[in-house]
Amino acid sequence: MDQTKVLPELTSSYDLTEEQIKEYQNLGHICLRGVASEEEMKAYRDVIYQKTQEKTGQLAPLSERDTYGKAFVQVMNLWEHSEDVKKFVMAQRYAKIAAELLGVDGVRIYHDQALFKEPGGGHTPWHQDQTYWPIDTDKTITMWMPLVDVSEEMGSMSFASESHKRGYISKLGISDESHQTLGEYIDAEGLEKVTHGAMKAGDATFHYGWTLHSAPGNPTDRTREVMTIIYMADGTKVSEIDHEARANDLKQWMPGLKTGDLVDSPLNPLVYSATK
């Protein structure tokens, strides 16, 4: 059976209030409840889970991995490999939320990623996502949506409120060093740390690319299954390539582009525009 014909469309609108948009732009993060329904999540969880398992490959035992490897099983751009997952990633509902929170006309995909934190999986160190991204804008946003209910014990992400206003704080990638250095920065600057607590499947957090964030380990016997989608404002250009991580991202997620080019490669489709 062709599942793409029976999966929910995800085209209906999720309406934001002006207060929610202001909260997001001020704090750099927000939790929105019920972005997708229980029925929608049941349908898409299955296809995302199956494709993630197919693409994961053979993993070393947790005890043999480094801090990054213990933090999560990570599979990127699932939309390229599955028409079913593509329907989820390209959903108008999510992209419209992203554009409205950013205050822009339209958004393009940077990439998606499934992040599965296994039972006993380690914490995700403090970091800024945009450290890795060679894009010349602060209008970037990540949707983090659990595919299964996430208990208080299992944990959702923690954010350093208003840290996005500091811009490019550090070139450190996700590591023990980033956790210590950025953790000390947060404390020294008196930034408030906020965790949105338990989340239902279909709830979602959104955060800017420059917002400092981390996540706890998973002490439960259930995998914390999360799907993320990263968006950027339409009209964004490729930035200067100032370190290897950005060079790698340019090659992988914006093939054929160079510094100064508009980000419009086939891997960066326009998924929502209020006017186009």
Side-chain angles (χ1 to χ4, degrees):
M1 181 177 65
D2 183 359
Q3 285 185 295
T4 58
K5 292 181 179 177
V6 298
L7 286 169
E9 290 298 325
L10 302 175
T11 52
S12 61
S13 183
Y14 183 96
D15 295 328
L16 297 172
T17 66
E18 285 299 319
E19 289 73 21
Q20 287 172 320
I21 294 171
K22 288 177 182 177
E23 175 187 337
Y24 174 78
Q25 294 179 358
N26 180 46
L27 298 181
H29 59 89
I30 195 169
C31 182
L32 301 176
R33 305 291 179 176
V35 173
S37 70
E38 183 178 351
E39 293 73 22
E40 289 167 338
M41 291 312 298
K42 282 181 179 177
Y44 281 102
R45 181 266 173 185
D46 288 344
V47 298
I48 293 170
Y49 178 85
Q50 290 166 11
K51 188 55 63 174
T52 300
Q53 294 301 107
E54 287 177 20
K55 294 293 180 181
T56 296
Q58 190 67 34
L59 295 172
L62 273 170
S63 60
E64 296 177 13
R65 301 182 214 165
D66 62 12
T67 298
Y68 190 103
K70 290 175 181 175
F72 38 64
V73 175
Q74 182 180 40
V75 182
M76 298 183 178
N77 259 28
L78 284 177
W79 73 265
E80 287 190 89
H81 308 286
S82 164
E83 286 299 315
D84 291 338
V85 178
K86 184 177 180 179
K87 285 186 69 172
F88 184 89
V89 173
M90 303 296 166
Q92 285 279 300
R93 184 188 303 163
Y94 309 148
K96 180 174 180 284
I97 293 171
E100 290 179 351
L101 289 175
L102 288 175
V104 300
D105 175 80
V107 290
R108 291 180 177 269
I109 294 287
Y110 185 61
H111 65 73
D112 70 47
Q113 51 186 352
L115 298 175
F116 284 19
K117 196 179 289 280
E118 303 150 284
H123 72 113
T124 306
W126 286 107
H127 66 282
Q128 291 178 298
D129 292 336
Q130 204 160 330
T131 298
Y132 294 91
W133 306 343
I135 47 183
D136 189 15
T137 182
D138 59 0
K139 302 292 188 182
T140 61
I141 188 169
T142 297
M143 182 184 83
W144 189 94
M145 179 179 282
L147 305 175
V148 296
D149 292 351
V150 173
S151 66
E152 191 81 41
E153 181 186 19
M154 191 182 288
S156 56
M157 284 200 295
S158 296
F159 303 95
S161 292
E162 301 190 51
S163 55
H164 66 296
K165 298 176 182 177
R166 312 297 180 93
Y168 200 161
I169 295 171
S170 169
K171 293 182 181 180
L172 292 173
I174 300 173
S175 61
D176 290 331
E177 184 183 5
S178 77
H179 194 65
Q180 179 177 342
T181 301
L182 294 174
E184 290 173 352
Y185 175 88
I186 291 164
D187 292 339
E189 295 294 311
L191 298 174
E192 181 185 13
K193 289 180 276 192
V194 175
T195 301
H196 293 288
M199 296 174 67
K200 292 282 191 183
D203 293 345
T205 60
F206 290 80
H207 65 274
Y208 280 107
W210 290 128
T211 301
L212 285 165
H213 60 286
S214 67
N218 180 9
T220 74
D221 59 2
R222 294 174 54 236
T223 297
R224 186 165 77 217
E225 301 172 22
V226 171
M227 187 65 179
T228 69
I229 307 171
I230 304 165
Y231 305 92
M232 59 193 150
D234 184 30
T236 292
K237 294 183 178 181
V238 179
S239 70
E240 295 289 339
I241 308 303
D242 57 355
H243 56 82
E244 185 178 3
R246 288 187 162 187
N248 292 338
D249 259 34
L250 177 62
K251 182 178 180 180
Q252 188 165 13
W253 308 125
M254 297 175 285
L257 301 186
K258 62 184 184 301
T259 297
D261 288 346
L262 277 174
V263 181
D264 61 356
S265 88
L267 296 187
N268 314 118
L270 181 68
V271 283
Y272 172 79
S273 170
T275 60
K276 292 181 182 177

